[in-house]
Amino acid sequence: MYDETLPTVEQLVVDELVCWRVHTRHAELLMTQQGAQVLSYQPHGEEPVIWLSGQAGYQKGTAVRGGVPVCWPWFGDLRRNPAEVQRMHEGGPICPAHGLVRERDWELLGIDSEGPAVRLDFALNTSSEPLPGWPHAAELKLSILLDERLQLTLSTRNTDDVPLALSQALHSYFAVSDIREVEVEGLDGCRYIETLEDWQLRKQQGNIAFGGETDRIYLETPKRMAIVDRAWKRRIQLEVENSSSAVVWNPWTDKARRLSQFAEDAWQGMLCIETARVMNDCVVLKPGEEQQMVLKVSSKPL
Ligand code: TA6
């Protein structure tokens, strides 16, 4: 039986992946060293907030489906990125979707569990761990803070002597009761790129509701947005810093069949809202400069 007041951090191996299970008086979190990926997050007495696929695989070199994969130093398809981001890539054909860091182990810098909160810090240094096709020097860090809410801070320091241009995302999978019944608040009036229709530019009117495959890049996004889930009587609140773009994604039926580690009906219970720096919001860092992007996730009853 856990002593609710004291946080615990347990290291475990799930199939091939080194993981940590963190338990505080507010919530439970599971994460893995591979990609410094949060895998699940569930406040006590509630449905999960961060969704993890029931068919998730824990193999080395393959990103786990679900959780919060880190997309860096580019988001999505490299060829759809701004020219300056594309130019950083000097490596021939190796340009997987969502960059180069979600399938490799990051270094655990430390775990701080003094007091009711727990903080885990991970890093990836591209000088000591060169990335194939991306011969630049940068220090990437992800800090995970678990207290009343979940906070992720992704920071990049340019340790090279030339400017770096990159795009990135915290590719968060949220759990929902039924995608057809939830709405996203906060993006009313925002321009978005409809990637499913020739990347046309559109404008959001009202809250986002879901009636089919959705894969959109929202621009000039606000600090706050929320998933309203009436069936589960909760609002998942997202608060961001230093991010003015967000990707909203649900694969629906057809794409669900083509996705790895994804049950045919899993599309009904998940929604990705990805805190990003993409397109005209991509990151350009001078030598020595650092950029931090922050996501705070909390769940409140409706
Ligand atoms: O972020 C949305 C997206 O780019 C979708 O187009 C979809 O492909 C999704 O990411 C998942 O990508 P993955 O490479 O993890 O299968």
mmCIF file with all atom_site columns, all heavy atoms in Angstrom, residues 65 75-76 97-98 102 171 173 215 247 249 255 259 274, ligand 1:
data_model
loop_
_atom_site.group_PDB
_atom_site.id
_atom_site.type_symbol
_atom_site.label_atom_id
_atom_site.label_alt_id
_atom_site.label_comp_id
_atom_site.label_asym_id
_atom_site.label_entity_id
_atom_site.label_seq_id
_atom_site.pdbx_PDB_ins_code
_atom_site.Cartn_x
_atom_site.Cartn_y
_atom_site.Cartn_z
_atom_site.occupancy
_atom_site.B_iso_or_equiv
_atom_site.pdbx_formal_charge
_atom_site.auth_seq_id
_atom_site.auth_comp_id
_atom_site.auth_asym_id
_atom_site.auth_atom_id
_atom_site.pdbx_PDB_model_num
ATOM   1   N N   . ARG A 1 65  ? 3.544  3.840  -29.330 1.00 0.00 ? 65  ARG A N   1
ATOM   2   C CA  . ARG A 1 65  ? 2.358  4.552  -29.788 1.00 0.00 ? 65  ARG A CA  1
ATOM   3   C C   . ARG A 1 65  ? 1.570  5.095  -28.603 1.00 0.00 ? 65  ARG A C   1
ATOM   4   O O   . ARG A 1 65  ? 1.033  4.323  -27.799 1.00 0.00 ? 65  ARG A O   1
ATOM   5   C CB  . ARG A 1 65  ? 1.481  3.629  -30.616 1.00 0.00 ? 65  ARG A CB  1
ATOM   6   C CG  . ARG A 1 65  ? 0.173  4.201  -31.126 1.00 0.00 ? 65  ARG A CG  1
ATOM   7   C CD  . ARG A 1 65  ? 0.345  5.275  -32.159 1.00 0.00 ? 65  ARG A CD  1
ATOM   8   N NE  . ARG A 1 65  ? 0.933  4.729  -33.392 1.00 0.00 ? 65  ARG A NE  1
ATOM   9   C CZ  . ARG A 1 65  ? 1.395  5.517  -34.359 1.00 0.00 ? 65  ARG A CZ  1
ATOM   10  N NH1 . ARG A 1 65  ? 1.348  6.841  -34.252 1.00 0.00 ? 65  ARG A NH1 1
ATOM   11  N NH2 . ARG A 1 65  ? 1.917  4.982  -35.455 1.00 0.00 ? 65  ARG A NH2 1
ATOM   12  N N   . PHE A 1 75  ? 9.506  18.527 -37.312 1.00 0.00 ? 75  PHE A N   1
ATOM   13  C CA  . PHE A 1 75  ? 8.174  17.940 -37.087 1.00 0.00 ? 75  PHE A CA  1
ATOM   14  C C   . PHE A 1 75  ? 7.650  17.405 -38.408 1.00 0.00 ? 75  PHE A C   1
ATOM   15  O O   . PHE A 1 75  ? 7.867  18.015 -39.468 1.00 0.00 ? 75  PHE A O   1
ATOM   16  C CB  . PHE A 1 75  ? 7.191  19.000 -36.569 1.00 0.00 ? 75  PHE A CB  1
ATOM   17  C CG  . PHE A 1 75  ? 5.773  18.478 -36.555 1.00 0.00 ? 75  PHE A CG  1
ATOM   18  C CD1 . PHE A 1 75  ? 5.330  17.671 -35.522 1.00 0.00 ? 75  PHE A CD1 1
ATOM   19  C CD2 . PHE A 1 75  ? 4.905  18.746 -37.602 1.00 0.00 ? 75  PHE A CD2 1
ATOM   20  C CE1 . PHE A 1 75  ? 4.042  17.138 -35.522 1.00 0.00 ? 75  PHE A CE1 1
ATOM   21  C CE2 . PHE A 1 75  ? 3.624  18.216 -37.623 1.00 0.00 ? 75  PHE A CE2 1
ATOM   22  C CZ  . PHE A 1 75  ? 3.188  17.405 -36.569 1.00 0.00 ? 75  PHE A CZ  1
ATOM   23  N N   . GLY A 1 76  ? 6.992  16.249 -38.329 1.00 0.00 ? 76  GLY A N   1
ATOM   24  C CA  . GLY A 1 76  ? 6.310  15.712 -39.502 1.00 0.00 ? 76  GLY A CA  1
ATOM   25  C C   . GLY A 1 76  ? 7.257  15.348 -40.623 1.00 0.00 ? 76  GLY A C   1
ATOM   26  O O   . GLY A 1 76  ? 8.348  14.821 -40.395 1.00 0.00 ? 76  GLY A O   1
ATOM   27  N N   . ALA A 1 97  ? 9.807  10.573 -40.359 1.00 0.00 ? 97  ALA A N   1
ATOM   28  C CA  . ALA A 1 97  ? 8.792  11.519 -39.886 1.00 0.00 ? 97  ALA A CA  1
ATOM   29  C C   . ALA A 1 97  ? 9.100  11.873 -38.428 1.00 0.00 ? 97  ALA A C   1
ATOM   30  O O   . ALA A 1 97  ? 9.581  11.055 -37.665 1.00 0.00 ? 97  ALA A O   1
ATOM   31  C CB  . ALA A 1 97  ? 7.406  10.885 -39.958 1.00 0.00 ? 97  ALA A CB  1
ATOM   32  N N   . HIS A 1 98  ? 8.886  13.128 -38.102 1.00 0.00 ? 98  HIS A N   1
ATOM   33  C CA  . HIS A 1 98  ? 8.990  13.607 -36.715 1.00 0.00 ? 98  HIS A CA  1
ATOM   34  C C   . HIS A 1 98  ? 10.407 13.601 -36.152 1.00 0.00 ? 98  HIS A C   1
ATOM   35  O O   . HIS A 1 98  ? 10.599 13.484 -34.948 1.00 0.00 ? 98  HIS A O   1
ATOM   36  C CB  . HIS A 1 98  ? 8.044  12.838 -35.795 1.00 0.00 ? 98  HIS A CB  1
ATOM   37  C CG  . HIS A 1 98  ? 6.602  13.005 -36.143 1.00 0.00 ? 98  HIS A CG  1
ATOM   38  N ND1 . HIS A 1 98  ? 6.060  14.209 -36.532 1.00 0.00 ? 98  HIS A ND1 1
ATOM   39  C CD2 . HIS A 1 98  ? 5.587  12.125 -36.181 1.00 0.00 ? 98  HIS A CD2 1
ATOM   40  C CE1 . HIS A 1 98  ? 4.774  14.076 -36.778 1.00 0.00 ? 98  HIS A CE1 1
ATOM   41  N NE2 . HIS A 1 98  ? 4.453  12.815 -36.582 1.00 0.00 ? 98  HIS A NE2 1
ATOM   42  N N   . ARG A 1 102 ? 13.050 10.507 -31.132 1.00 0.00 ? 102 ARG A N   1
ATOM   43  C CA  . ARG A 1 102 ? 12.026 9.766  -30.387 1.00 0.00 ? 102 ARG A CA  1
ATOM   44  C C   . ARG A 1 102 ? 12.325 8.275  -30.287 1.00 0.00 ? 102 ARG A C   1
ATOM   45  O O   . ARG A 1 102 ? 11.680 7.567  -29.516 1.00 0.00 ? 102 ARG A O   1
ATOM   46  C CB  . ARG A 1 102 ? 10.627 9.996  -30.981 1.00 0.00 ? 102 ARG A CB  1
ATOM   47  C CG  . ARG A 1 102 ? 10.427 9.547  -32.400 1.00 0.00 ? 102 ARG A CG  1
ATOM   48  C CD  . ARG A 1 102 ? 8.993  9.717  -32.828 1.00 0.00 ? 102 ARG A CD  1
ATOM   49  N NE  . ARG A 1 102 ? 8.807  9.429  -34.245 1.00 0.00 ? 102 ARG A NE  1
ATOM   50  C CZ  . ARG A 1 102 ? 7.631  9.140  -34.799 1.00 0.00 ? 102 ARG A CZ  1
ATOM   51  N NH1 . ARG A 1 102 ? 6.546  9.072  -34.062 1.00 0.00 ? 102 ARG A NH1 1
ATOM   52  N NH2 . ARG A 1 102 ? 7.561  8.909  -36.091 1.00 0.00 ? 102 ARG A NH2 1
ATOM   53  N N   . HIS A 1 171 ? 4.242  15.722 -28.996 1.00 0.00 ? 171 HIS A N   1
ATOM   54  C CA  . HIS A 1 171 ? 3.172  15.086 -29.771 1.00 0.00 ? 171 HIS A CA  1
ATOM   55  C C   . HIS A 1 171 ? 2.206  14.363 -28.822 1.00 0.00 ? 171 HIS A C   1
ATOM   56  O O   . HIS A 1 171 ? 2.027  13.157 -28.872 1.00 0.00 ? 171 HIS A O   1
ATOM   57  C CB  . HIS A 1 171 ? 3.815  14.112 -30.744 1.00 0.00 ? 171 HIS A CB  1
ATOM   58  C CG  . HIS A 1 171 ? 2.952  13.597 -31.848 1.00 0.00 ? 171 HIS A CG  1
ATOM   59  N ND1 . HIS A 1 171 ? 1.766  12.953 -31.621 1.00 0.00 ? 171 HIS A ND1 1
ATOM   60  C CD2 . HIS A 1 171 ? 3.123  13.628 -33.190 1.00 0.00 ? 171 HIS A CD2 1
ATOM   61  C CE1 . HIS A 1 171 ? 1.253  12.590 -32.784 1.00 0.00 ? 171 HIS A CE1 1
ATOM   62  N NE2 . HIS A 1 171 ? 2.034  12.988 -33.751 1.00 0.00 ? 171 HIS A NE2 1
ATOM   63  N N   . TYR A 1 173 ? -0.757 12.628 -26.917 1.00 0.00 ? 173 TYR A N   1
ATOM   64  C CA  . TYR A 1 173 ? -1.971 11.843 -27.153 1.00 0.00 ? 173 TYR A CA  1
ATOM   65  C C   . TYR A 1 173 ? -2.836 11.963 -25.899 1.00 0.00 ? 173 TYR A C   1
ATOM   66  O O   . TYR A 1 173 ? -2.406 11.537 -24.821 1.00 0.00 ? 173 TYR A O   1
ATOM   67  C CB  . TYR A 1 173 ? -1.633 10.369 -27.378 1.00 0.00 ? 173 TYR A CB  1
ATOM   68  C CG  . TYR A 1 173 ? -0.973 9.987  -28.683 1.00 0.00 ? 173 TYR A CG  1
ATOM   69  C CD1 . TYR A 1 173 ? 0.374  10.263 -28.919 1.00 0.00 ? 173 TYR A CD1 1
ATOM   70  C CD2 . TYR A 1 173 ? -1.688 9.306  -29.669 1.00 0.00 ? 173 TYR A CD2 1
ATOM   71  C CE1 . TYR A 1 173 ? 0.980  9.879  -30.109 1.00 0.00 ? 173 TYR A CE1 1
ATOM   72  C CE2 . TYR A 1 173 ? -1.097 8.918  -30.870 1.00 0.00 ? 173 TYR A CE2 1
ATOM   73  C CZ  . TYR A 1 173 ? 0.239  9.207  -31.070 1.00 0.00 ? 173 TYR A CZ  1
ATOM   74  O OH  . TYR A 1 173 ? 0.833  8.814  -32.262 1.00 0.00 ? 173 TYR A OH  1
ATOM   75  N N   . ASP A 1 215 ? -6.295 16.416 -39.433 1.00 0.00 ? 215 ASP A N   1
ATOM   76  C CA  . ASP A 1 215 ? -4.839 16.551 -39.369 1.00 0.00 ? 215 ASP A CA  1
ATOM   77  C C   . ASP A 1 215 ? -4.511 17.976 -39.776 1.00 0.00 ? 215 ASP A C   1
ATOM   78  O O   . ASP A 1 215 ? -4.296 18.263 -40.949 1.00 0.00 ? 215 ASP A O   1
ATOM   79  C CB  . ASP A 1 215 ? -4.176 15.526 -40.308 1.00 0.00 ? 215 ASP A CB  1
ATOM   80  C CG  . ASP A 1 215 ? -2.715 15.296 -39.968 1.00 0.00 ? 215 ASP A CG  1
ATOM   81  O OD1 . ASP A 1 215 ? -2.150 16.149 -39.251 1.00 0.00 ? 215 ASP A OD1 1
ATOM   82  O OD2 . ASP A 1 215 ? -2.156 14.294 -40.426 1.00 0.00 ? 215 ASP A OD2 1
ATOM   83  N N   . VAL A 1 247 ? -0.716 21.215 -33.458 1.00 0.00 ? 247 VAL A N   1
ATOM   84  C CA  . VAL A 1 247 ? -1.259 20.261 -34.423 1.00 0.00 ? 247 VAL A CA  1
ATOM   85  C C   . VAL A 1 247 ? -2.402 19.511 -33.758 1.00 0.00 ? 247 VAL A C   1
ATOM   86  O O   . VAL A 1 247 ? -2.298 19.114 -32.591 1.00 0.00 ? 247 VAL A O   1
ATOM   87  C CB  . VAL A 1 247 ? -0.167 19.282 -34.889 1.00 0.00 ? 247 VAL A CB  1
ATOM   88  C CG1 . VAL A 1 247 ? -0.729 18.240 -35.841 1.00 0.00 ? 247 VAL A CG1 1
ATOM   89  C CG2 . VAL A 1 247 ? 0.991  20.053 -35.510 1.00 0.00 ? 247 VAL A CG2 1
ATOM   90  N N   . TRP A 1 249 ? -4.875 16.253 -34.293 1.00 0.00 ? 249 TRP A N   1
ATOM   91  C CA  . TRP A 1 249 ? -4.900 15.049 -35.119 1.00 0.00 ? 249 TRP A CA  1
ATOM   92  C C   . TRP A 1 249 ? -5.757 13.938 -34.528 1.00 0.00 ? 249 TRP A C   1
ATOM   93  O O   . TRP A 1 249 ? -5.663 13.645 -33.331 1.00 0.00 ? 249 TRP A O   1
ATOM   94  C CB  . TRP A 1 249 ? -3.470 14.514 -35.296 1.00 0.00 ? 249 TRP A CB  1
ATOM   95  C CG  . TRP A 1 249 ? -3.388 13.225 -36.057 1.00 0.00 ? 249 TRP A CG  1
ATOM   96  C CD1 . TRP A 1 249 ? -3.832 13.000 -37.320 1.00 0.00 ? 249 TRP A CD1 1
ATOM   97  C CD2 . TRP A 1 249 ? -2.849 11.970 -35.591 1.00 0.00 ? 249 TRP A CD2 1
ATOM   98  N NE1 . TRP A 1 249 ? -3.593 11.685 -37.680 1.00 0.00 ? 249 TRP A NE1 1
ATOM   99  C CE2 . TRP A 1 249 ? -2.976 11.043 -36.633 1.00 0.00 ? 249 TRP A CE2 1
ATOM   100 C CE3 . TRP A 1 249 ? -2.264 11.555 -34.387 1.00 0.00 ? 249 TRP A CE3 1
ATOM   101 C CZ2 . TRP A 1 249 ? -2.550 9.710  -36.532 1.00 0.00 ? 249 TRP A CZ2 1
ATOM   102 C CZ3 . TRP A 1 249 ? -1.822 10.227 -34.282 1.00 0.00 ? 249 TRP A CZ3 1
ATOM   103 C CH2 . TRP A 1 249 ? -1.986 9.320  -35.352 1.00 0.00 ? 249 TRP A CH2 1
ATOM   104 N N   . LYS A 1 255 ? -7.243 5.656  -41.670 1.00 0.00 ? 255 LYS A N   1
ATOM   105 C CA  . LYS A 1 255 ? -5.823 5.794  -41.294 1.00 0.00 ? 255 LYS A CA  1
ATOM   106 C C   . LYS A 1 255 ? -5.514 4.916  -40.091 1.00 0.00 ? 255 LYS A C   1
ATOM   107 O O   . LYS A 1 255 ? -4.413 4.365  -39.966 1.00 0.00 ? 255 LYS A O   1
ATOM   108 C CB  . LYS A 1 255 ? -5.471 7.259  -40.999 1.00 0.00 ? 255 LYS A CB  1
ATOM   109 C CG  . LYS A 1 255 ? -3.996 7.415  -40.622 1.00 0.00 ? 255 LYS A CG  1
ATOM   110 C CD  . LYS A 1 255 ? -3.354 8.643  -41.193 1.00 0.00 ? 255 LYS A CD  1
ATOM   111 C CE  . LYS A 1 255 ? -1.861 8.654  -40.891 1.00 0.00 ? 255 LYS A CE  1
ATOM   112 N NZ  . LYS A 1 255 ? -1.211 9.915  -41.306 1.00 0.00 ? 255 LYS A NZ  1
ATOM   113 N N   . LEU A 1 259 ? -2.027 2.432  -39.177 1.00 0.00 ? 259 LEU A N   1
ATOM   114 C CA  . LEU A 1 259 ? -1.081 2.861  -38.144 1.00 0.00 ? 259 LEU A CA  1
ATOM   115 C C   . LEU A 1 259 ? -0.510 1.668  -37.382 1.00 0.00 ? 259 LEU A C   1
ATOM   116 O O   . LEU A 1 259 ? -1.218 0.699  -37.113 1.00 0.00 ? 259 LEU A O   1
ATOM   117 C CB  . LEU A 1 259 ? -1.767 3.792  -37.146 1.00 0.00 ? 259 LEU A CB  1
ATOM   118 C CG  . LEU A 1 259 ? -2.066 5.217  -37.597 1.00 0.00 ? 259 LEU A CG  1
ATOM   119 C CD1 . LEU A 1 259 ? -2.851 5.931  -36.513 1.00 0.00 ? 259 LEU A CD1 1
ATOM   120 C CD2 . LEU A 1 259 ? -0.792 5.970  -37.937 1.00 0.00 ? 259 LEU A CD2 1
ATOM   121 N N   . GLU A 1 274 ? -0.899 18.784 -30.245 1.00 0.00 ? 274 GLU A N   1
ATOM   122 C CA  . GLU A 1 274 ? 0.557  18.759 -30.155 1.00 0.00 ? 274 GLU A CA  1
ATOM   123 C C   . GLU A 1 274 ? 1.084  20.181 -30.001 1.00 0.00 ? 274 GLU A C   1
ATOM   124 O O   . GLU A 1 274 ? 0.851  21.027 -30.876 1.00 0.00 ? 274 GLU A O   1
ATOM   125 C CB  . GLU A 1 274 ? 1.106  18.067 -31.400 1.00 0.00 ? 274 GLU A CB  1
ATOM   126 C CG  . GLU A 1 274 ? 0.467  16.678 -31.586 1.00 0.00 ? 274 GLU A CG  1
ATOM   127 C CD  . GLU A 1 274 ? 0.539  16.138 -33.000 1.00 0.00 ? 274 GLU A CD  1
ATOM   128 O OE1 . GLU A 1 274 ? 1.557  16.409 -33.685 1.00 0.00 ? 274 GLU A OE1 1
ATOM   129 O OE2 . GLU A 1 274 ? -0.439 15.488 -33.445 1.00 0.00 ? 274 GLU A OE2 1
HETATM 130 O O1  . TA6 B 2 .   ? 1.031  14.862 -35.881 1.00 0.00 ? 1   TA6 B O1  1
HETATM 131 C C1  . TA6 B 2 .   ? 0.135  14.317 -36.755 1.00 0.00 ? 1   TA6 B C1  1
HETATM 132 C C2  . TA6 B 2 .   ? 0.865  13.328 -37.626 1.00 0.00 ? 1   TA6 B C2  1
HETATM 133 O O2  . TA6 B 2 .   ? 1.855  13.952 -38.366 1.00 0.00 ? 1   TA6 B O2  1
HETATM 134 C C3  . TA6 B 2 .   ? -0.136 12.568 -38.496 1.00 0.00 ? 1   TA6 B C3  1
HETATM 135 O O3  . TA6 B 2 .   ? -0.049 12.924 -39.829 1.00 0.00 ? 1   TA6 B O3  1
HETATM 136 C C4  . TA6 B 2 .   ? 0.196  11.105 -38.224 1.00 0.00 ? 1   TA6 B C4  1
HETATM 137 O O4  . TA6 B 2 .   ? 0.998  10.559 -39.136 1.00 0.00 ? 1   TA6 B O4  1
HETATM 138 C C5  . TA6 B 2 .   ? 0.788  11.172 -36.830 1.00 0.00 ? 1   TA6 B C5  1
HETATM 139 O O5  . TA6 B 2 .   ? 1.528  12.332 -36.808 1.00 0.00 ? 1   TA6 B O5  1
HETATM 140 C C6  . TA6 B 2 .   ? 1.535  9.962  -36.332 1.00 0.00 ? 1   TA6 B C6  1
HETATM 141 O O6  . TA6 B 2 .   ? 2.761  9.834  -36.897 1.00 0.00 ? 1   TA6 B O6  1
HETATM 142 P P1  . TA6 B 2 .   ? 3.646  8.524  -36.596 1.00 0.00 ? 1   TA6 B P1  1
HETATM 143 O O7  . TA6 B 2 .   ? 4.919  8.744  -37.371 1.00 0.00 ? 1   TA6 B O7  1
HETATM 144 O O8  . TA6 B 2 .   ? 3.883  8.477  -35.110 1.00 0.00 ? 1   TA6 B O8  1
HETATM 145 O O9  . TA6 B 2 .   ? 2.865  7.337  -37.048 1.00 0.00 ? 1   TA6 B O9  1
#
